[in-house]
Amino acid sequence: MALLQIARLSKSYDNETKVLKDISFSVKAGEFVSIIGPSGAGKSTLLRCVNQMVPISSGEVIFDNAPVTQLKKRALRQLRTNIGMVFQHYNLVPRLTVIENVLHGRLGYKTTLQGIMSRFTEKEKEQAFYLLRKLGIEEHAYKRCDQLSGGQQQRVGIARALIQGPKLVLCDEPIASLDPNSSKIIMDHLKSITSELGITCLVNLHQVEVAQQYSDRIIGLNQGEVVFDGTNYQLTEEKTNRIYGTEMRELITV
Amino acid sequence: MSEKVMQKRKWQMTIALIIIIAITYLSAAITKFNFIDGLVAFPEAIGWMFSNLLITQESLEKLPTILDKLVETIFMSIAATTTAAVVSIFLGIMGSKTTSINGFLSTFARFIASVSRNIPVVAWALILLLSFGQNSLTGYLALFVGTVGFLTRAFIESIDEASHSAVEALTATGATYFHIVNKAVIPQSLPQMISWILFMIETNIRSATLVGILTGTGIGYTFDMYYKSMNYNVVALVTFSIVIAVIIIELMSNYIRKVIM
Ligand SMILES: Nc1ncnc2c1ncn2[C@@H]1O[C@H](COP(=O)(O)OP(=O)(O)OP(=O)(O)O)[C@@H](O)[C@H]1O
Ligand SMILES: [Mg+2]
């Protein structure tokens, strides 16, 4: 049974131009799937349709047997606790400490009052430190996030997503603001989320090579349409050109 | 190519300068303000200031009452600012695109901010005088209303600038609206907000003097009283103590800013 099913999904922000056109695919539990495509293809929008950060225009998104599009307030919050999200710009609260930012990932499980009073259990705090240790940033736990390097901040972002105990992690260009070294660290961590914890990953990437190196499966998006869906062996030069348009490809790999 | 751009810039500058001179000349002509007369009057005015606005032994006797009124005025300004800040935080959160609950409340908050900000504090004082009469409440309210307008506007910008991305991330974790405001928006924009509040306290102490003249309260009233009875030595002392107070408050708020940023 697929963890995530997307069927005939369309999205338009202004009711005129369709940013996503009739998209259908499904993702099995434990899969590591990359979405590639040129800038403006609709990759970020697609991810945000999965957890309803943007309302979809038509079609269906089914996550873990629940129809995402029909969920309202409480049920939607509950759904979101099962989906972690990692962002290109980390989206942390820069003035707060690392550990505070990680614990934000538990807010979805709290009542408003519990959350505001920061009532986190010992187990949750232990889990937070455990994750920081796994990600190699435990010694920074009490530092403010704005004192960390980009790669370290992204690891805080990953810890925040993992502490939710998610079934799926959505990553929107997690390495687009990082140097090659930090990029490798981040991608290795994301890969191990899937291989060790069995959590499904859906990752937007703009480097084809990285996508090929890490993914079980690659989805190519161009102007809001799925133009490729297969393993990295099936992603030939010609198909890559089709995703990016021939000239674009040269620009991107340089 | 770039030379052409430079040439164009030069022309634009020249034209702008000519327009400014023209406007200055025109407004002087319309208001019958004569530059030469103004300049001639200058030395005389300064001479008058030096001979009359002197702090004498005699005027120093009035110091305790002056300080009393000054402290009253400072506290009123602080009270008006802090109470306005509380209201503005709510209006700011409602008005910010990042945290607004619905379009109506957002427009409402922006409308309030715009109305109260675009009417000068002195005008507010005069309007409120009609309904509340000459007392310190009128002064307080005038400062309060003006401050709400300014701070709401400033807070909306602080919130939008500081926390858009973190709000997105916390929404994605399933956090509630109040979690998000409390754990992301407030922590991230609070220093900026405090900085604006300090700025408004400084501004309000200055305005309070003016408002006090109108409403007959605080240091403004003291100033007005001695001014009208032509006791210029005391007027000088009052002015001097206001200046000192404002400088002290400014130094203090600069220090606080450094610590919290
Ligand atoms: N909030 C929004 N409101 C209106 N239009 C939007 C919004 N977000 C994205 N768009 C538009 O939708 C299209 C797809 O944007 P999207 O961000 O999903 O692309 P992307 O593939 O993630 O691009 P990139 O690689 O540059 O991040 C673009 O044309 C963009 O202008
Ligand atoms: Mg994007």
Side-chain angles (χ1 to χ4, degrees), chain B residues 43-59 226-227 229-240:
Chain B
E44 205 180 322
I46 297 212
W48 185 91
M49 277 193 208
F50 271 102
S51 51
N52 286 284
L53 292 178
L54 281 179
I55 299 168
T56 56
Q57 196 67 37
E58 223 174 308
S59 59
Y226 289 109
Y227 184 82
S229 60
M230 292 190 285
N231 192 343
Y232 297 122
N233 298 328
V234 183
V235 168
L237 182 63
V238 171
T239 313
F240 185 69

Side-chain angles (χ1 to χ4, degrees), chain A residues 223-241:
Chain A
Q223 297 190 9
E225 281 175 281
V226 175
V227 292
F228 176 83
D229 185 349
T231 64
N232 58 23
Y233 305 108
Q234 292 166 320
L235 184 66
T236 57
E237 188 79 31
E238 186 213 326
K239 295 215 165 110
T240 315
N241 288 346

